[in-house]
């Protein structure tokens, strides 16, 4: 009985294998169709210039003569409708002098007139920039088109087109080097000299640039306030913030430093930040009257009194 069962299982497996083999689809290769290249036919060369550059214009039809006449008449009517002196834009036309002044100021942005000398009739000036130092002669036209119109021991007059600008002679004060190596407070006279040097080197250019300033639409050029406006503003500030600050000051009092504590703090600061430099006298620093920007212009008269 066991033998017949084994034979039956073998026949069953053989039948399954035979059916599977008979119903398996045959593998077929797909044929790749490749077109033959005709070696006798050469492609057209790419045009290298000439008429082919304007071939795109052939895609657009030519404007009819009547259409051109209508466009011309419309432009003529618009021009006649404009008022005398009116431009197609709301902006004012830029004059040649304004344009030349903008170009001139851009070219000499980092120039500083530092030295003047004269040999016979030959006048020589030295100009320093961020990248180099060079000499100029009176009447010379530089590579950037700027003309050195005049050289004196006070200023160098530079001209470009219809615009002109005077570079004042600006020599660095001698005490600048001393302050770099030995930091200290400047005296009243030194503050005046530093202010004048700054104005000659940077201030004159800032004033010239500010002449072309135009406020944004709807805004006005800032103006100095009157004493009455200043007093009114102080009163409004006191009402809005002053009372609140006073209450906070009473709640959180700030300790008052006595001269001895200030002197000790100064000594500690100097020993920590400038150990290799001699410490200046504390009393002399406290006695120096520091000048603000508004007082520097009147400082020479005050010092002579």
């Amino acid at each position: 009985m066991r033998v017949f069962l084994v034979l039956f299982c073998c026949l069953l497996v053989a039948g399954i294998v035979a059916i599977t083999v008979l119903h398996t689809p045959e593998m077929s290769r797909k044929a790749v169709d490749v077109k033959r290249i005709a070696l006798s036919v050469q492609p057209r060369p790419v045009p290298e210039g000439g008429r082919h550059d304007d071939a795109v214009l052939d895609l657009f039809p030519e404007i009819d003569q009547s259409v051109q006449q209508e466009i011309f008449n419309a432009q003529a009517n618009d021009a006649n409708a404009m008022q005398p002196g009116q431009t197609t834009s709301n902006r004012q036309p830029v004059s040649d002098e304004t344009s030349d002044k903008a170009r001139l100021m851009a070219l000499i942005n980092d120039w500083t007139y530092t030295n003047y000398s004269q040999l016979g009739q030959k006048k020589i000036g030295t100009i320093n920039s961020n990248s180099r130092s060079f000499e100029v002669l009176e009447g010379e036209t530089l590579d950037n088109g700027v003309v050195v119109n005049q050289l004196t021991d006070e200023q160098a007059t530079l001209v470009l087109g219809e615009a002109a600008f005077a570079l004042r002679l600006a020599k660095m004060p001698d005490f600048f080097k001393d302050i770099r190596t030995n930091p200290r407070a400047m005296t009243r006279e030194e503050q005046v000299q530093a202010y004048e040097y700054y104005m000659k080197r940077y201030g004159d250019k800032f004033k010239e640039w500010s002449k072309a300033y135009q406020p944004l639409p709807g805004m006005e050029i800032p103006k100095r306030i009157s004493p009455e406006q200043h007093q009114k503003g102080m009163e409004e500030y006191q009402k809005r913030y002053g009372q609140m600050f006073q209450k906070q000051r009473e709640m959180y009092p700030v300790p008052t430093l006595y001269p001895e504590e200030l002197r000790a703090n100064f000594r500690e600061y100097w020993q920590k930040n400038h150990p290799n430099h001699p410490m200046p006298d504390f009393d002399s620093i406290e006695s120096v009257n520091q000048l603000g920007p508004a007082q520097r212009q009147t400082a020479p008269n005050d010092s002579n009194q």
Side-chain angles (χ1 to χ4, degrees), residues 62-273:
E62 300 238 350
I63 300 178
D64 188 24
Q65 188 69 23
S66 60
V67 177
Q68 291 182 351
Q69 187 63 32
E70 291 178 3
I71 296 176
F72 176 78
N73 295 336
Q75 293 176 349
N77 294 334
D78 294 339
N80 295 331
M82 295 176 59
Q83 298 295 330
Q86 182 181 2
T87 61
T88 56
S89 175
N90 294 330
R91 293 178 176 269
Q92 294 294 332
V94 180
S95 62
D96 294 338
E97 182 179 0
T98 303
S99 177
D100 292 339
K101 178 58 69 67
R103 293 178 55 238
L104 176 61
M105 299 306 297
L107 291 173
I108 66 173
N109 178 37
D110 59 344
W111 287 14
T112 306
Y113 184 39
T114 57
N115 191 29
Y116 168 80
S117 61
Q118 182 174 357
L119 298 175
Q121 299 298 326
K122 188 177 182 181
K123 299 180 180 180
I124 307 172
T126 302
I127 294 179
N128 291 340
S129 66
N130 294 338
S131 58
R132 62 193 180 101
S133 176
F134 56 96
E135 292 184 347
V136 295
L137 303 176
E138 187 176 69
E140 178 184 7
T141 301
L142 306 180
D143 295 339
N144 54 11
V146 176
V147 179
V148 184
N149 187 59
Q150 185 182 24
L151 290 177
T152 65
D153 57 350
E154 295 183 354
Q155 65 184 26
T157 305
L158 307 175
V159 177
L160 180 64
E162 299 182 5
F165 183 78
L167 276 177
R168 289 196 288 171
L169 186 67
K171 290 187 177 181
M172 182 182 296
D174 297 333
F175 65 87
F176 274 29
K177 299 179 181 179
D178 179 47
I179 290 181
R180 288 177 181 175
T181 56
N182 184 20
R184 59 176 176 80
M186 292 187 297
T187 63
R188 189 181 185 89
E189 292 75 16
E190 290 174 344
Q191 292 181 51
V192 175
Q193 295 179 30
Y195 176 76
E196 288 295 329
Y197 173 71
Y198 172 85
M199 291 300 298
K200 293 177 181 178
R201 186 169 181 179
Y202 304 105
D204 294 346
K205 296 177 183 177
F206 290 156
K207 289 182 178 180
E208 191 66 32
W209 289 330
S210 64
K211 293 180 181 179
Y213 169 77
Q214 293 293 335
L216 296 175
M219 299 183 64
E220 298 181 356
I221 297 179
K223 300 179 181 179
R224 290 185 178 274
I225 62 175
S226 62
E228 294 77 11
Q229 292 174 334
H230 175 74
Q231 182 63 27
K232 183 179 179 181
M234 292 294 293
E235 293 175 357
E236 293 179 354
Y237 176 84
Q238 181 66 22
K239 293 179 181 178
R240 181 174 299 182
Y241 302 106
Q243 298 177 0
M244 178 183 62
F245 292 155
Q246 182 65 26
K247 293 179 180 179
Q248 293 179 354
R249 190 174 184 180
E250 295 174 356
M251 295 174 59
Y252 307 100
V254 179
T256 304
L257 295 179
Y258 293 96
E260 293 78 10
E261 297 180 9
L262 291 175
R263 195 185 309 274
N265 292 341
F266 176 75
R267 186 183 302 105
E268 181 181 356
Y269 163 81
W270 194 267
Q271 292 175 356
K272 180 180 179 181
N273 296 279

